[in-house]
Amino acid sequence: RDADIRDAKQVRDVVKETRPEWIVLAAAYTDVDGCEGNPALAFAVNRDGAVNVAAAAREAGARLVFLSSDYVFDGKETAPYETGDARNPQSVYGQTKAEAEIKLLGVMPECCIARTSWLFGTGGKCFPDTILKLAASRPSLDVVNDQRGCPTYAADLARAIMQLCRKNATGIMHVTNGGDCTWFEFAQEIVR
């Protein structure tokens, strides 16, 4: 919050001043539709900003966990994606995260990339809150049933990130809650 990650100097100054042992890079432009409408901003934040943070971390001797996304994949597989599966993003948001992963591994090969999916929790815009608000004001809801994912509770992700830091994790990890469902199934359970 103390620096615009698009500004390499601001990032270096904050990292130099705070001298962190670990940096957890959760800052991102996550509005998927917004990224489609403003790809320049999306790439500046999600790819270039991430590179700025990685470069500052490397200079300061800090470790890095970068939060990425299942949007780096095309969503066409019927089985869970593995960490080594080919990236094939279908959106600008996914492209920004996929390119960031590649560039970060070039700048800081020992970084940890934590891919997550369908994040929800308190204190921000999330699918369960949206569904509950809509269900309270409409007699029925239309929710897609052709996309599967792993809803991931933000508090569980935070605990997993702490464990990754404690274990000095490196490489690409998939960090989600267990199980999977469609958006429709998720909405059904939320309303129930």
Side-chain angles (χ1 to χ4, degrees):
R1 71 175 191 260
D2 297 330
D4 180 339
I5 64 172
R6 296 172 295 174
D7 185 323
K9 183 182 179 325
Q10 280 186 29
V11 173
R12 276 193 318 273
D13 290 348
V14 167
V15 171
K16 188 183 283 186
E17 179 183 318
T18 58
R19 301 171 61 172
E21 195 174 320
W22 278 90
I23 297 171
V24 177
L25 180 53
Y29 183 24
T30 59
D31 178 349
V32 175
D33 293 333
C35 289
E36 293 295 325
N38 196 345
L41 177 61
F43 279 100
V45 173
N46 295 347
R47 179 194 60 203
D48 304 339
V51 169
N52 290 340
V53 174
R58 186 189 66 225
E59 289 173 21
R63 303 293 308 276
L64 175 68
V65 174
F66 172 68
L67 291 186
S68 191
S69 168
D70 62 337
Y71 275 80
V72 302
F73 300 118
D74 59 19
K76 295 177 183 174
E77 293 296 321
T78 57
Y81 284 94
E82 300 293 330
T83 58
D85 287 345
R87 297 172 188 92
N88 188 24
Q90 302 297 298
S91 67
V92 170
Y93 173 71
Q95 290 168 0
T96 66
K97 288 297 197 173
E99 289 185 24
E101 287 185 5
I102 293 164
K103 288 188 173 284
L104 290 184
L105 291 169
V107 170
M108 196 175 195
E110 70 282 4
C111 73
C112 177
I113 295 170
R115 292 177 180 149
T116 194
S117 68
W118 295 22
L119 198 59
F120 70 95
T122 59
K125 182 181 169 190
C126 72
F127 187 75
D129 287 344
T130 300
I131 291 299
L132 289 173
K133 286 175 189 166
L134 291 173
S137 64
R138 296 183 182 176
S140 66
L141 302 176
D142 291 322
V143 180
V144 297
N145 199 28
D146 62 346
Q147 299 172 32
R148 296 196 78 75
C150 299
T152 303
Y153 184 48
D156 292 339
L157 176 62
R159 281 189 283 280
I161 290 168
M162 288 187 289
Q163 290 175 355
L164 291 171
C165 293
R166 287 184 184 121
K167 293 181 181 195
N168 289 316
T170 62
I172 298 173
M173 314 280 171
H174 288 176
V175 185
T176 65
N177 284 126
D180 67 283
C181 62
T182 66
W183 287 113
F184 177 77
E185 292 166 339
F186 193 19
Q188 273 187 312
E189 185 63 21
I190 292 163
V191 171
R192 189 177 67 75

